[in-house]
């Protein structure tokens, strides 16, 4: 990609400003557009920033570390120490532990050995550190002799080196953890500073307990709330025993903010209609779209219906590639590895790393966006860091190259997330149904006050990532009479929190239960920003069935299926939903994603998990192959009975039920439903049925 960029916001209110950051090899053109999968709705729009720009290439400054606003001195004679656990000691690169630039301080060298550098002179122990082991490292210069010592916590095997060295001055800024992969705990420089990482774990500040008060700031969001060298396992919540969580895990590929210079901004007119827009960037050899949503100002509405853009889910999947093609120091523990089952589809299997020829074939099938993300080391919440640990932070302040209006997911050969949700917006626009757009960020911040302005809220196709504040607002709104249309699958699934000190960053930790791309380490299953337990909402007593009637049951990447209507059984409460549709008519045997309305990720009714007893089971998509597998959270003992041909739980359920105060919920239980709406220019039975529900929900007398 010769031109690429990002915006500082994913949703911007009418009358507010949004900024755009661009990296380009040469001159490029920027233009405001209204994206659509329908040529009739696609627009080029006037905007003050439209025009040509001289591009500049902007770098990606990955790598977490601690920086200091005040200089940290290194005395002529000194002694410093720290507990260290490396996670990629054999990476073949210089890794900083406690350093002044690249010539002074304590490093791991390219062989994984602790190495003291004084004025560029080097002294290493000669014994590489083992991955995943805690060591006490000490080094310094005393009496004209330099020394460096490593002592493993669990085993014998101290290694040391000494040599004569002359003192030297240092001028570079001091940093901790620069380009390091692993944990550091209790670093100190005798007589200068002693940093206690157990203080302020929920913040981005590092506390110095010495009289100098040389406090530091975390850069690029390393992991806190991680176990230290003295963790006993008796407590799993870092807030109860912070002294056992006095470590920070750094990664050389952490990235929370690219920090690019802004190229232009846009003051959104107060009369620009709500919806999805994009800045189209074009240069001689490429194109990119930077999408954003225009939302109403706080306290104002333009329609009684709102589309809830799942921006948290967009971020969770942003730059996702499941680690394919990324080098790992050892076989990855992630269960998500793609194996070819045909020329067009892939199944998830728990396997060793892919053979080189298979990985190469998958890489060749990916689009330019995916390859750019891979080449530039960007990570989604589904990817592993290069040291093999899962990536628990994602940020909007970086190029989100697969969050594009016309993106096709490499493993699906079709739209996913934002590009799939554009089908829902296209349907609303084509059928002339007035609507606002709101975002997950808005809902998390404004809560019930935001939802209470609307009679109906329509979800996206895959609203998987929700914060507790969002769930609280939805539950209260439904109890107050709100009407929710859940047009997706695998929704309301993972505990998700914006970091309080960096709201552009989402934290998602994948605990030891649930269908997951990687697994959090023991004791590291609480979010560092809020302290709350991570994982599936199901395991915190908030399964999606309790709010929308259905919840995640199976997933697979193969042909989707149509829905077959369930017998009415004399209950005609929802008969109006099928107006204009024959009783024996299959619903959704077509669609832009996998060819049908029921597919990819599926939700089902489960009364034990909270489906209301009066919920109407309207229709079911079933008959899936064994490529579709049930979710692991429902497998208590290993067996071979989770495939679509043998497990009746592998299905998608279409559901309707009433809530108090004339509220109601309609749920489709399938990611593919929304991408079937626009088939045949919206003249189809998925469109007709969904329109019946929306029109009834929006009616004043319903």
């Amino acid at each position: 990609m010769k031109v690429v960029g990002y915006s500082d916001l994913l949703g911007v209110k009418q009358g507010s400003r949004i900024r755009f950051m661009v990296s380009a090899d040469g001159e490029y053109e920027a233009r405001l557009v209204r994206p659509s999968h329908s040529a009739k709705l696609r627009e080029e729009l006037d905007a003050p920033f439209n025009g040509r720009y001289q591009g500049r290439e902007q770098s990606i400054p990955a790598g977490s570390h601690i920086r200091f606003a005040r200089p940290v001195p290194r005395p002529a004679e000194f002694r410093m120490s720290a507990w260290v656990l490396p996670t990629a000691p054999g990476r073949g690169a210089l890794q900083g532990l406690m350093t002044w630039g690249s010539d002074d301080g304590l490093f791991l060298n390219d062989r994984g050995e602790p190495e003291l550098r004084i004025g560029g002179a080097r002294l290493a122990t000669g014994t590489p550190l083992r991955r995943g082991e805690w060591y006490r490292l000490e080094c310094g210069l005393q009496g004209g002799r330099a020394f460096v010592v490593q002592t493993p916590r669990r085993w014998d095997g101290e290694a040391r080196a000494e040599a004569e060295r002359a003192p030297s001055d240092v001028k570079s800024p001091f940093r901790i953890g620069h380009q390091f992969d692993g944990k550091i705990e209790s670093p100190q420089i005798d007589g200068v500073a002693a940093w206690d990482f157990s203080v302020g774990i929920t913040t981005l500040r590092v506390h110095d307990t010495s009289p100098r008060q040389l406090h530091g700031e975390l850069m690029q969001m390393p992991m806190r709330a991680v176990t230290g060298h003295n963790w006993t396992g008796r407590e799993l919540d870092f807030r109860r025993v912070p002294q056992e969580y006095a470590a920070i895990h750094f990664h050389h590929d952490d990235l929370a903010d690219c920090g690019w210079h802004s190229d232009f901004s846009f003051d959104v007119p107060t009369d620009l209609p709500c919806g999805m827009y994009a800045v189209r960037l074009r240069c001689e050899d490429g194109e990119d779209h930077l999408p954003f949503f225009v939302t109403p100002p706080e306290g104002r509405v333009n329609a009684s219906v709102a589309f809830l853009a799942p921006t948290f889910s967009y971020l969770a999947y942003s730059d996702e590639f499941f680690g394919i093609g990324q080098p790992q120091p050892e076989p990855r523990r992630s269960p998500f590895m793609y194996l070819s089952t045909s020329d067009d589809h892939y199944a998830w299997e728990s396997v060793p790393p892919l053979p080189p020829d298979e990985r190469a074939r998958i890489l060749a099938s990916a689009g330019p966006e995916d390859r750019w993300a891979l080449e530039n080391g960007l990570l989604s919440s589904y990817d592993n860091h290069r040291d093999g640990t899962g990536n628990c932070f994602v940020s909007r302040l970086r190029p989100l190259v697969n969050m594009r209006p016309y993106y096709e997911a490499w493993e699906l050969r079709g739209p996913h997330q934002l590009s799939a949700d554009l089908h829902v917006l296209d349907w609303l626009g084509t059928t002339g149904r007035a609507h606002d757009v709101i975002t997950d960020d808005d809902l998390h911040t404004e809560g019930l006050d935001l939802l209470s302005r609307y009679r109906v809220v329509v979800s996206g196709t895959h609203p998987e990532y929700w914060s507790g504040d969002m769930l609280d607002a939805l539950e209260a709104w439904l109890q107050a009479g709100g009407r929710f249309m859940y047009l997706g699958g695998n929704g309301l699934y993972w505990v998700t929190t914006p970091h309080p000190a960096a709201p552009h960053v989402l934290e998602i930790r994948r605990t030891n239960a649930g269908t997951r791309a990687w697994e959090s380490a023991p004791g590291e299953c609480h979010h560092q920003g809020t302290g709350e337990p991570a994982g599936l909402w199901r395991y915190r007593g908030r399964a999606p069935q309790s709010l929308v009637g259905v919840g995640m049951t199976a997933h697979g990447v193969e042909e989707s299926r149509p829905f077959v209507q369930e017998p009415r059984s004399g209950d005609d409460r929802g008969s109006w939903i099928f107006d204009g549709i024959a009783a024996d008519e299959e619903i959704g045997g077509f669609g832009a994603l996998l060819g049908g309305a029921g597919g990819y990720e599926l939700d089902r009714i489960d009364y034990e998990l909270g489906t209301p007893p009066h919920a109407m089971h309207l229709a079911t998509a079933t008959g899936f192959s064994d490529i579709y597998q049930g979710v692991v959270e429902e497998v208590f003992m290993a067996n071979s009975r989770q495939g679509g041909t043998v497990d009746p739980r592998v299905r998608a359920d279409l559901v309707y039920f009433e809530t108090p105060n004339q509220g109601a919920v309609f749920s489709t239980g399938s990611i593919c439903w929304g991408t079937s709406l626009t088939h045949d220019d919206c003249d189809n039975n998925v469109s007709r049925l969904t329109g019946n529900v929306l029109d009834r929900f929006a009616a004043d007398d319903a």
Side-chain angles (χ1 to χ4, degrees):
M1 297 175 68
K2 298 295 186 180
V3 59
V4 67
Y6 64 94
S7 57
D8 65 335
L9 300 169
L10 300 184
V12 57
K13 297 182 184 301
Q14 292 167 317
S16 298
R17 174 174 293 182
I18 183 171
R19 296 184 305 120
F20 298 92
M21 283 59 71
V22 179
S23 178
D25 180 11
E27 194 177 65
Y28 68 92
E29 177 196 50
R31 176 171 289 277
L32 180 66
V33 298
R34 189 91 183 248
S36 174
H37 294 298
S38 168
K40 293 187 294 185
L41 297 179
R42 207 172 295 163
E43 295 181 271
E44 293 189 355
L45 303 170
D46 291 331
F49 64 79
N50 286 352
R52 300 198 66 81
Y53 294 83
Q54 182 57 48
R56 54 185 167 182
E57 293 190 77
Q58 305 203 59
S59 62
I60 297 177
S64 58
H65 58 278
I66 303 172
R67 74 175 184 185
F68 298 86
R70 294 163 53 204
V72 176
R74 196 206 72 189
E77 293 203 341
F78 65 96
R79 181 186 186 93
M80 57 186 187
S81 60
W83 284 99
V84 172
L85 181 150
T87 50
R91 201 178 86 213
L94 188 66
Q95 303 183 49
L97 299 173
M98 304 168 65
T99 59
W100 292 266
S102 60
D103 287 329
D104 287 274
L106 180 60
F107 299 82
L108 287 191
N109 63 24
D110 57 4
R111 298 180 298 279
E113 305 162 357
E115 181 174 285
L116 175 63
R117 294 188 173 190
I118 300 175
R122 304 174 184 180
L123 178 66
T125 64
T127 302
L129 302 187
R130 292 185 295 269
R131 183 175 186 264
E133 291 283 348
W134 279 107
Y135 293 83
R136 181 68 175 174
L137 302 186
E138 299 176 272
C139 65
L141 178 65
Q142 294 181 332
R145 292 192 65 80
F147 67 94
V148 56
V149 183
Q150 65 188 59
T151 307
R153 183 181 68 86
R154 295 196 302 164
W155 319 107
D156 292 332
E158 177 188 283
R160 68 168 54 234
E162 295 186 23
E164 292 186 1
R165 291 286 184 270
S168 65
D169 294 331
V170 296
K171 298 179 181 179
S172 299
F174 180 73
R175 291 179 291 194
I176 296 175
H178 184 241
Q179 293 297 306
F180 175 60
D181 286 308
K183 296 179 180 180
I184 299 177
E185 179 182 349
S186 304
Q188 70 178 57
I189 306 170
D190 289 1
V192 175
W195 293 281
D196 184 352
F197 295 166
S198 73
V199 178
I201 291 175
T202 61
T203 74
L204 301 182
R205 296 278 289 168
V206 167
H207 188 73
D208 174 20
T209 61
S210 79
R212 290 178 182 255
Q213 300 287 286
L214 293 171
H215 307 311
E217 178 185 7
L218 296 181
M219 305 302 297
Q220 301 296 17
M221 199 62 70
M223 286 179 68
R224 304 190 80 166
V226 296
T227 55
H229 83 281
N230 61 343
W231 183 63
T232 65
R234 295 187 179 94
E235 291 286 352
L236 303 180
D237 185 344
F238 70 87
R239 295 169 296 180
R240 296 176 63 89
V241 286
Q243 68 276 11
E244 294 185 18
Y245 286 83
I248 295 177
H249 193 151
F250 302 88
H251 299 93
H252 83 277
D253 51 3
D254 280 329
L255 181 65
D257 185 353
C258 271
W260 288 2
H261 296 290
S262 173
D263 288 80
F264 51 87
S265 61
F266 180 39
D267 292 317
V268 177
T270 57
D271 59 351
L272 185 67
C274 291
M276 183 196 297
Y277 295 85
V279 173
R280 186 187 66 206
L281 306 173
R282 277 182 175 169
C283 66
E284 184 177 350
D285 298 319
E287 180 175 286
D288 194 16
H289 285 78
L290 312 184
F292 61 96
F293 294 96
V294 171
T295 65
E298 191 166 345
R300 196 183 90 189
V301 298
N302 305 301
S304 64
V305 175
F307 172 76
L308 176 59
T311 47
F312 283 8
S313 294
Y314 298 161
L315 276 186
Y317 281 90
S318 61
D319 302 319
E320 168 262 318
F321 214 66
F322 284 121
I324 298 299
Q326 296 174 349
Q328 302 293 339
E330 293 182 5
R332 297 169 59 237
R333 291 181 56 82
S334 169
F336 275 160
M337 299 298 290
Y338 280 92
L339 283 182
S340 174
T341 58
S342 71
D343 289 340
D344 298 318
H345 303 298
Y346 300 92
W348 287 315
E349 300 287 350
S350 198
V351 296
L354 292 178
D357 58 342
E358 180 69 6
R359 182 180 294 112
R361 192 170 76 82
I362 292 174
L363 289 169
S365 73
E369 305 95 341
D370 297 312
R371 288 195 293 271
W372 190 91
L374 186 63
E375 290 164 0
N376 287 276
L378 302 185
L379 302 175
S380 75
S381 72
Y382 287 81
D383 289 310
N384 290 68
H385 289 286
R386 303 317 193 272
D387 70 352
T389 59
N391 177 43
C392 68
F393 294 113
V394 285
S395 167
R396 68 172 181 260
L397 297 182
R398 60 192 178 121
L400 312 174
V401 291
N402 62 349
M403 194 191 121
R404 297 298 187 250
Y406 307 118
Y407 172 77
E408 291 199 348
W410 66 271
E411 73 274 29
L412 298 174
R413 308 298 194 274
H416 185 224
Q417 288 290 338
L418 182 133
S419 57
D421 290 346
L422 185 54
H423 282 277
V424 180
L425 290 169
D426 284 348
W427 174 75
L428 290 167
T430 299
T431 60
R433 290 178 166 91
H435 62 280
D436 277 348
V437 173
I438 57 178
T439 70
D440 284 354
D441 301 86
D442 299 327
L443 180 54
H444 174 78
T445 302
E446 301 177 41
L448 179 60
D449 286 345
L450 174 63
L451 293 183
S452 63
R453 301 170 203 152
Y454 296 100
R455 189 165 187 82
V456 186
V457 172
V458 179
S459 85
T461 58
H462 193 10
E464 184 175 358
Y465 292 85
W466 283 61
S467 70
D469 289 344
M470 293 167 62
L471 292 180
D472 291 344
L474 179 61
E475 183 174 13
W477 179 69
L478 289 174
Q479 290 294 310
R483 298 169 180 182
F484 189 55
M485 296 180 67
Y486 169 49
L487 303 186
N490 187 15
L492 295 76
Y493 193 66
W494 285 104
V495 176
T496 307
T497 55
H499 196 289
H504 59 281
V505 174
L506 291 186
E507 183 171 6
I508 302 158
R509 298 205 183 190
R510 304 186 187 276
T511 55
N512 50 10
T515 300
R516 55 205 184 275
W518 48 267
E519 185 172 287
S520 297
E524 299 180 3
C525 296
H526 284 69
H527 283 189
Q528 73 185 51
T530 62
E532 66 184 283
L536 300 189
W537 281 115
R538 170 176 177 164
Y539 293 109
R540 289 179 57 182
R542 307 192 76 170
Q545 284 91 340
S546 65
L547 285 176
V548 298
V550 295
M552 175 67 162
T553 186
H555 56 150
V557 184
E558 200 185 44
E559 182 180 3
S560 294
R561 302 286 298 161
F563 282 80
V564 176
Q565 298 178 52
E566 292 291 318
R568 303 290 169 82
S569 303
D571 187 348
D572 62 355
R573 284 179 298 138
S575 59
W576 52 270
I577 294 173
F578 294 97
D579 285 352
I581 299 172
D584 61 350
E585 188 176 341
E586 288 188 338
I587 300 165
F590 45 80
L593 180 58
L594 301 176
Y600 186 30
E601 294 188 349
L602 314 175
D603 294 357
R604 77 165 200 278
I605 289 170
D606 192 316
Y607 296 103
E608 291 187 1
L609 289 175
T611 301
H614 61 286
M616 295 188 66
H617 186 183
L618 303 172
T620 304
T622 188
F624 296 96
S625 77
D626 286 338
I627 293 296
Y628 279 82
Q629 291 282 309
V631 291
V632 298
E633 54 264 32
E634 301 200 333
V635 180
F636 299 136
M637 297 185 70
N639 59 54
S640 59
R641 305 292 295 175
Q642 280 75 56
T645 64
V646 293
D647 190 343
R649 297 173 299 181
V650 179
R651 67 179 196 266
D653 290 336
L654 200 71
V655 173
Y656 163 76
F657 59 92
E658 301 91 347
T659 60
N661 300 303
Q662 296 186 309
V665 172
F666 170 77
S667 296
T668 66
S670 165
I671 285 179
C672 293
W673 182 274
T675 59
S676 297
L677 286 168
T678 54
H679 178 75
D680 200 13
D681 200 24
C682 302
D683 184 12
N684 63 75
N685 56 19
V686 173
S687 171
R688 192 171 305 117
L689 188 151
T690 309
N692 290 343
V693 175
L694 181 53
D695 293 344
R696 175 67 70 96
F697 277 17
D700 291 336
D701 57 351

